[in-house]
Amino acid sequence: MSIDLSALLLRETPDSIIITTPAGEVVYWNKGAEQILGYASAEAVGKPLDDLIVPTEYIDQLNRYRHEAIANGFSTFETARRPKDGSLVYMVVSNKVVYDGEGRAEHIIISQKDVTHLKVLRDAKLVESQFRDLLESTPDAIIMANQTGRIVLANSQAESLFGYERGAMLGKLVELLLPSRYRGGHVAHRSGYFGQPRTRSMGAGLELYGLRSDGSEFPVEISLSPLQTAEGTLVMSAIRDITDRKLIERALQEKNVELERANKAKDSFLASMSHELRTPLNGIIGFAEFLSDGKPGPLNEKQKEYLGDILNSGRHLLHLINDMLDLVKVQAGKSDLVPERFRLEDAVNEVRAGVHPIAITKRIEVAITIADDIDVVMLDQQRFKQILYNLLSNALKFTNDDGHVGITATREDADRFRIVVSDDGIGIRAEDIGRLFTEFEQLETGTARRFGGTGLGLALTRKLVELHGGEIHVESEIGKGSRFSVVLPLAIKGARA
Amino acid sequence: MSGERILVVDDNKTNLKLVSDVLECEGYRILKASDAESAQEIIGTTPPDLVLMDIALPGMDGLTLTRHLKADDSTRHILVVALTAFAMNGDDARAREAGCDGYITKPIDTRTLPGVVAGYLQGRA
């Protein structure tokens, strides 16, 4: 009984033996090739070898050694090949060319040995000597893998994070550290990464999880960086366990939802309270007004005076409630602007007319200067007047008798204008300016309380300015006066002028 | 002293009294109702020249009553002026739509109310 030893050798050798034409078309594919590269002989024969198993970045190298073999009869080199499953294996390749009777290349016999494991050991040795000390000193878990996705270094932080013995991760595929549902996708991602290696965080915006040796999962944050070495590109992953951070984030989120809910409840409470408070107040004011006008019958001076006091208190309270309702509405985003075309000068004059009685009483001159290049604007007219009214009545309130108040409007740029309300009144202390636009922060500087007011006016004013997409600033000096400066768009965004 | 008859409809007793007394002081003859149903009854027996109609009422609302009045030949001539809570929230437009001849925004200003009411009455004449 004779044994065909050549056939036995070809069949049983662990190496991949392939025969191609000089152009690279596969004509023979042994069992070793089937095992290492994943393609059955029937799948491979007739196909170009380049398309089957050669990663794009190794095509040039393949051509170089193929030409060398055709010229010299023989070539040998180390390279990486892509098996059917998309992974990568390192191989030592020997090409041997068979010539026909006239010296033309007829076939190339390609013998390939899988040296992935040896390559891992080599890479491991290299990074071990170069980087181990450094990586042991970082707080993060560090894992380095080579192009085949095999771990060539894991620092002790990584070993304890994932629950492995010293050195136990070496040579394993990095997918070992991922929950199984992510593994398939990860192979494709890491092949892609070697195509365009750069430092970045992994899976931006995605929730990433690590898998411990005991099967438990934990959330991680991973940053990747390529590392060029004499043995090729390696990828370094810095891995951080973010379990604690996730817990805190979740707690904060829940707290936030709770706060939002509480805030909404507060807003709707205030809105309905304001409405409920106004109804009886309107009765108080209405009857006081009716009485003090002497319609139902004559009054003596004291009665007139006290009715006047009731009216003033009632109106102040009504003002407070209205401001509060406005503020709540603006804060709740329930206040929509109604854009309207109007002449800025007309609106300013109307607002001045509204404060005329106070100005006359205190003998304060209100000067208006409007630049020629501002005419018609497209704003919520009522809101604009409210802003200006608040600033103007403040200016009058905090300016002594015979003082000066000015309103100046100038063009800020192509799309915006600036309106400044200035006075030569009592001014604001530098340390108080920051609190100025906060609700109920009417300044307590000595005599300020005697000026009355709701303490809501400036907070509301700022909100209204911001609602228009504008900004408000204040400059002031004690005893010299204040300048409130508002920058507004000429037309509300989205509205057509 | 014009002596025209005015029906004030408001479910808020204080407001009803305030509006009624202010107008009474001006010499108008005042009728009062605190809901639309009793207003309807009064209009049937003693037709007024003008109705000051609160919009939000228990039961039938003021706008529904206005539509009834304006649909009926025998009551169409009666002026209806709505009392709206805010001009801002569209009550004014709804009032016009329902057939109101005008509207007055609450809170009532006792100093201007007589003039406004007189204006509506004169406009009709």
Side-chain angles (χ1 to χ4, degrees), chain A residues 57-271:
Chain A
E57 60 269 33
Y58 288 96
I59 293 279
D60 286 348
Q61 185 204 37
L62 171 80
N63 285 328
R64 212 163 53 241
Y65 283 103
R66 186 181 282 156
H67 289 137
E68 189 188 320
I70 290 168
N72 303 335
F74 183 80
S75 65
T76 184
F77 59 102
E78 189 179 294
T79 189
R81 290 291 177 253
R82 172 120 33 241
K84 193 178 179 179
D85 65 7
S87 63
L88 214 58
V89 292
Y90 277 100
M91 296 188 130
V92 171
V93 181
S94 300
N95 290 328
K96 171 80 173 70
V97 178
V98 180
Y99 301 93
D100 65 10
E102 284 159 38
R104 282 187 300 239
E106 200 171 33
H107 289 112
I108 306 174
I109 299 168
I110 304 163
S111 168
Q112 304 181 122
K113 185 186 283 294
D114 182 351
V115 294
T116 305
H117 190 59
L118 294 173
K119 168 78 172 156
V120 166
L121 292 179
R122 216 165 62 210
D123 289 345
K125 205 168 152 192
L126 175 88
V127 293
E128 183 83 29
S129 65
Q130 287 189 2
F131 305 114
R132 166 66 74 179
D133 288 348
L134 177 68
L135 296 183
E136 285 301 329
S137 65
T138 84
D140 287 339
I142 302 283
I143 287 181
M144 282 197 196
N146 67 12
Q147 284 199 54
T148 64
R150 286 177 195 277
I151 296 168
V152 298
L153 183 142
N155 67 359
S156 50
Q157 291 86 322
E159 286 166 336
S160 61
L161 181 62
F162 287 96
Y164 287 91
E165 297 288 314
R166 178 132 208 100
M169 293 155 93
L170 203 66
K172 299 280 189 339
L173 285 168
V174 289
E175 280 77 23
L176 173 74
L177 309 176
L178 300 179
S180 55
R181 61 185 181 282
Y182 297 122
R183 284 179 189 161
H186 189 259
V187 173
H189 279 308
R190 82 170 136 81
S191 306
Y193 185 77
F194 276 103
Q196 274 186 315
R198 63 190 169 82
T199 301
R200 63 172 172 85
S201 63
M202 186 192 255
L206 296 177
E207 306 242 308
L208 300 176
Y209 290 90
L211 180 70
R212 291 194 194 88
S213 63
D214 64 7
S216 58
E217 294 182 14
F218 58 103
V220 290
E221 187 179 75
I222 301 176
S223 38
L224 301 173
S225 25
L227 198 65
Q228 308 299 340
T229 72
E231 290 288 342
T233 305
L234 300 176
V235 60
M236 181 170 89
S237 330
I239 302 155
R240 197 166 283 180
D241 182 346
I242 55 168
T243 306
D244 289 346
R245 203 176 75 195
K246 284 274 166 193
L247 286 177
I248 293 166
E249 272 174 20
R250 187 168 317 147
L252 280 177
Q253 251 166 23
E254 281 165 13
K255 197 83 203 157
N256 207 23
V257 168
E258 204 177 294
L259 283 175
E260 258 171 47
R261 200 178 300 140
N263 202 35
K264 274 206 184 116
K266 179 210 73 181
D267 284 350
S268 85
F269 171 76
L270 282 178

Side-chain angles (χ1 to χ4, degrees), chain B residues 40-122:
Chain B
Q40 217 164 6
E41 235 169 81
I42 294 169
I43 292 167
T45 55
T46 326
D49 298 288
L50 184 144
V51 183
L52 275 175
M53 182 89 76
D54 188 21
I55 287 184
L57 293 170
M60 189 196 298
D61 68 37
L63 295 184
T64 307
L65 176 55
T66 303
R67 282 190 206 97
H68 285 314
L69 296 177
K70 292 297 176 183
D72 188 333
D73 284 342
S74 65
T75 53
R76 184 170 301 145
H77 65 283
I78 299 172
L79 287 168
V80 180
V81 175
L83 294 171
T84 62
F86 315 98
M88 285 290 284
N89 65 6
D91 275 0
D92 47 343
R94 277 196 289 279
R96 294 267 183 212
E97 221 175 285
C100 292
D101 299 277
Y103 69 90
I104 295 172
T105 306
K106 288 202 278 190
I108 294 303
D109 183 334
T110 60
R111 288 167 186 169
T112 57
L113 179 69
V116 174
V117 168
Y120 281 117
L121 286 167
Q122 270 162 27

Side-chain angles (χ1 to χ4, degrees), chain A residues 298-403:
Chain A
L299 298 165
N300 67 34
E301 283 312 305
K302 272 291 166 202
Q303 286 167 335
K304 258 189 197 158
E305 184 192 326
Y306 297 153
L307 277 169
D309 292 339
I310 294 175
L311 262 180
N312 281 339
S313 300
R315 286 192 182 124
H316 184 182
L317 187 52
L318 184 63
H319 194 149
L320 185 70
I321 292 167
N322 286 341
D323 274 3
M324 187 164 75
L325 187 65
D326 266 351
L327 195 63
V328 169
K329 269 197 208 153
V330 174
Q331 262 167 352
K334 278 184 195 146
S335 192
D336 291 331
L337 294 178
V338 184
E340 205 181 327
R341 285 168 59 88
F342 60 92
R343 287 193 66 230
L344 188 75
E345 191 170 357
D346 293 345
V348 173
N349 280 326
E350 279 174 49
V351 174
R352 177 170 63 174
V355 299
H356 189 65
I358 318 167
I360 291 292
T361 312
K362 297 181 79 173
R363 296 183 305 278
I364 295 172
E365 186 200 349
V366 180
I368 298 179
T369 317
I370 298 192
D372 292 338
D373 55 354
I374 309 175
D375 185 28
V376 172
V377 294
M378 179 89 174
L379 298 171
D380 185 318
Q381 185 171 193
Q382 198 193 333
R383 297 306 202 186
F384 170 75
K385 285 181 183 167
Q386 208 175 346
I387 292 167
L388 191 58
Y389 180 84
N390 285 345
L391 295 180
L392 192 55
S393 55
N394 263 352
L396 289 166
K397 194 187 295 175
F398 295 109
T399 300
N400 296 324
D401 291 0
D402 300 309

